[in-house]
């Protein structure tokens, strides 16, 4: 019998799969939850969880940070597994090898990158095992051109190779590739269905008016699911829908009610973030959805706001990889906009995902240093620091719009269910039961809160008293242990 390493005593233990929600003790040993009972003997280390909630660690299906500082910041947000699924990587095996050589704090994984395959086939860009966030490819065929049948076959084959190497799905940031055609998307989705892997999709359009409206994009997504059988997971329902969220929600619910494999996620902010080179930023249709036009767009690194399309185009040419913030809902001043954000965040069965951005230096490069706390001059969207704790604070505690059990399910069990389509590893995550992975968080429901703002982005969230990753405490008594790196790869089944 394995000696218990930690016993969490007297916490409110919540398991979203079974609905278990009561005061209990939890024993942890050898990276697993070994027992849950009303009273357990002390292990080698006893932790008093009185007044605290004990829950599975959060699973973030949509995160672009993937560095030591990003892991550490997300740990304070309750995340124990962080995944790059919307964009993905290629070659997949090379990316996993690179991550294994780093001191990853959280569990990590990635999808196969359709965009990287397109960059290679259409623009000759080499595959380097990295994601495509901030990647510079001078030739623009990959984003602007419709691929020939032969090129589509090559793109799908390269993407499939990533799946066969253990990719957790297919990253399909369709909105960044206006030249891609429907026939290419159908071929990609047919491959997804054939391999049993979900697509993680940034919809093709996000404007409020036809043509190229968000509603047109959702109809396409639903059509792909119906025509090919592929599971279509729609990223960031909030920013993809904007002020069309109510109609989008009705469409998605109907699709799910008739059994189509469609799912979605949201993050609890009315401001988005992306690379400045995104083609849709200069689309007049897209700009109609932004309350203050180009003044709604600002640089992450220094807060500079743009005054015109011409100024933005100049900045795109000077540094296409720099990150921006775009205010698409005024949730602080407009009650209707606040209700729209509610509709996405509270979508029944929808999950919470951060879309966490990489940390950026004042010079505009990715920050991968190991200083803790993260130096205050670094920047990112506040969602990189406080997505999950913001959701818990506002919707579960302050407004009581969702129960603690359902709130935790949206952060743990629902994402695990989607991951199960790709990997059996997900079957031992997102639950708090004996035999499950000891990815466990212990937080104070009365104080858990996001602290990062658009003015002070490097402030870690508060309220996470203890965070275990594979049975190793990453945060203990509210303090980060900078000496541990217990993160492990989460990979799809090798085909």
């Amino acid at each position: 019998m394995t000696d218990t390493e930690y016993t969490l005593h007297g916490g409110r233990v919540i398991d979203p799969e079974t609905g278990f929600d009561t005061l209990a003790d939890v024993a942890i040993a050898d990276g697993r939850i070994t027992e849950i009972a009303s009273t357990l003997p002390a292990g080698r280390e006893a932790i008093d969880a009185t007044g605290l909630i004990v829950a599975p660690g959060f699973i973030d299906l949509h995160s672009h940070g993937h560095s030591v500082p990003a892991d550490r910041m997300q740990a304070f947000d309750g995340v124990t597994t962080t995944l790059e699924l919307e964009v993905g990587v290629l070659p997949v095996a090379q990316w996993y090898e690179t991550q294994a050589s780093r001191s990853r704090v959280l569990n990590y994984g990635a999808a196969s990158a359709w965009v990287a395959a397109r960059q290679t086939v259409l623009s000759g860009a080499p595959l380097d095992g990295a994601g495509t966030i901030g990647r510079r490819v001078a030739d623009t065929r990959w984003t602007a051109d419709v691929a020939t049948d032969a090129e589509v076959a090559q793109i799908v084959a390269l993407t499939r190779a990533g799946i066969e190497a253990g990719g957790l799905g297919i990253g399909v940031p369709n909105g960044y590739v206006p030249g891609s055609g429907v026939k290419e998307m159908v071929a990609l989705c047919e491959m997804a269905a054939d391999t049993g892997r979900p697509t993680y999709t940034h919809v093709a359009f996000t404007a409020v008016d036809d043509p190229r409206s968000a509603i047109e994009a959702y109809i396409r997504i639903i059509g792909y699911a119906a025509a090919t059988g592929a599971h279509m997971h729609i990223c960031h329902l909030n920013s993809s829908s904007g002020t069309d969220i109510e109609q989008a929600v009705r469409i998605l619910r109907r699709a799910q009610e008739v059994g189509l494999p469609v799912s979605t996620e949201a993050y609890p902010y009315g401001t988005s973030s992306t690379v400045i080179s995104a083609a849709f930023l200069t689309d007049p249709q897209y700009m109609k959805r932004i309350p203050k036009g180009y003044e709604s767009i600002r640089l992450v690194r220094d807060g500079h706001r743009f005054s015109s399309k011409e100024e933005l185009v100049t900045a795109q040419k000077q540094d296409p990889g720099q990150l921006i913030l775009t205010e698409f809902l005024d949730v602080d001043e407009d009650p209707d906009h606040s209700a729209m954000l509610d509709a996405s965040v509270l979508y029944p069965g929808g999950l919470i995902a951060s879309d966490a951005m990489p940390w950026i230096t004042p010079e505009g490069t990715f920050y991968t240093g190991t200083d803790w706390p993260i130096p205050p001059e670094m920047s990112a969207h506040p969602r990189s620091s406080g997505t999950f704790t913001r959701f818990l604070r506002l919707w579960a505690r302050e407004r009581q719009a969702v129960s603690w059990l359902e709130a935790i399910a949206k952060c743990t069990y629902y994402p695990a269910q989607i991951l199960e389509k790709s990997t059996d590893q997900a079957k031992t995550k997102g639950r708090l039961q004996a035999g499950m992975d000891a990815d466990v968080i212990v937080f104070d429901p009365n104080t858990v809160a996001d602290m990062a703002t658009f003015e002070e982005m490097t402030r870690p969230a508060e309220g996470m008293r203890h965070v275990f990753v594979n049975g190793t405490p990453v945060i203990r008594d509210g303090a980060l242990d900078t000496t541990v790196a217990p993160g492990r790869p989460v990979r799809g089944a090798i085909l």
Side-chain angles (χ1 to χ4, degrees), residues 107-453:
N107 301 315
Y108 56 89
S112 183
W114 162 70
V115 160
R118 218 171 194 273
Q119 289 173 336
T120 295
V121 172
L122 297 185
S123 298
L127 295 176
D128 56 9
T132 56
I133 293 290
R135 192 180 189 198
R136 295 165 175 80
V137 179
D139 182 283
T140 59
R141 277 202 68 208
W142 72 270
T143 182
D145 287 10
V146 175
T148 66
D149 290 347
E151 288 168 337
V152 167
Q154 290 180 277
I155 292 166
V156 172
L158 274 178
T159 310
R160 184 180 183 118
I163 292 295
E164 293 172 345
L168 290 167
I170 303 173
V172 189
N174 200 186
Y176 292 83
V177 190
S180 60
V182 171
K183 290 176 69 176
E184 181 178 344
M185 286 295 100
V186 169
L188 194 68
C189 291
E190 287 175 336
M191 185 270 285
D194 182 56
T195 57
R197 304 292 165 87
T199 70
Y200 296 89
T201 305
H202 182 301
V203 298
F205 317 120
T206 55
V208 294
D209 296 329
D210 286 327
R212 302 190 306 278
S213 68
I215 300 306
E216 179 182 346
Y218 285 121
I219 293 298
R220 282 194 183 187
I221 291 285
I222 292 166
Y224 295 146
T228 69
H231 182 127
M232 308 299 295
H233 179 78
I234 299 168
C235 297
H236 40 55
L237 178 61
N238 52 324
S239 60
S240 291
S241 305
T243 54
D244 274 340
I245 182 64
E246 292 180 354
Q247 186 176 6
V249 162
R250 289 197 301 271
I251 291 169
L252 291 177
R253 281 181 177 169
R254 289 173 187 148
Q256 290 175 329
E257 286 169 358
V258 298
L260 292 179
V262 179
S263 58
T264 193
E265 66 183 50
Y267 57 83
Y269 295 88
T271 297
S272 63
S273 184
T274 189
V275 290
I276 197 172
S277 57
F280 55 75
L281 292 173
T282 54
D283 184 341
Q285 285 289 78
Y286 173 80
M287 292 307 300
K288 290 179 182 178
R289 62 174 274 165
I290 300 177
K292 300 176 183 176
Y294 284 96
E295 290 187 2
S296 296
I297 304 174
R298 52 179 161 151
L299 294 176
V300 167
R301 68 187 183 201
D302 61 12
H304 172 76
R305 290 185 181 273
F306 291 92
S307 59
S308 65
K309 176 180 178 179
E310 291 71 26
E311 185 186 11
L312 181 69
V313 170
T314 298
Q316 287 178 325
K317 294 176 180 177
Q318 291 174 342
D319 187 359
Q322 64 185 317
L323 300 181
I324 58 165
L325 301 169
T326 302
E327 298 159 358
F328 62 91
L329 291 177
D330 189 354
V331 296
D332 294 326
E333 301 294 333
D334 190 327
D336 290 338
H337 283 200
S338 180
M340 292 173 193
L341 185 60
D342 281 356
S344 59
V345 170
L346 297 175
Y347 183 84
L351 48 124
I352 303 299
S354 73
D355 197 2
M357 300 303 287
W359 289 94
I360 302 298
T361 69
E363 295 73 35
T365 59
F366 291 167
Y367 175 68
T368 58
T370 57
D371 291 345
W372 185 262
I374 292 177
E377 63 270 22
M378 304 304 163
S379 56
H381 191 295
R383 69 192 187 200
S384 302
S385 306
T387 288
F388 295 89
T389 46
R390 180 179 179 83
F391 171 63
L392 296 181
R393 173 179 68 84
L394 283 173
W395 280 270
R397 182 176 74 237
E398 294 182 4
R399 296 174 51 196
Q400 298 182 17
V402 62
S403 69
W404 284 107
L405 178 63
E406 178 65 11
I408 289 168
K410 291 171 77 71
C411 302
T412 59
Y413 181 52
Y414 296 164
Q417 287 183 301
I418 294 174
L419 279 179
E420 287 174 19
K421 295 177 179 286
S422 302
T423 175
D424 285 344
Q425 287 178 266
K427 295 178 180 178
T428 55
K429 297 188 183 298
R431 293 109 164 146
L432 200 71
Q433 304 165 25
M436 300 294 115
D437 294 343
D439 297 335
V440 179
I441 59 174
V442 184
F443 66 91
D444 188 339
N446 297 311
T447 63
V448 66
D450 55 310
M451 301 304 293
T453 67

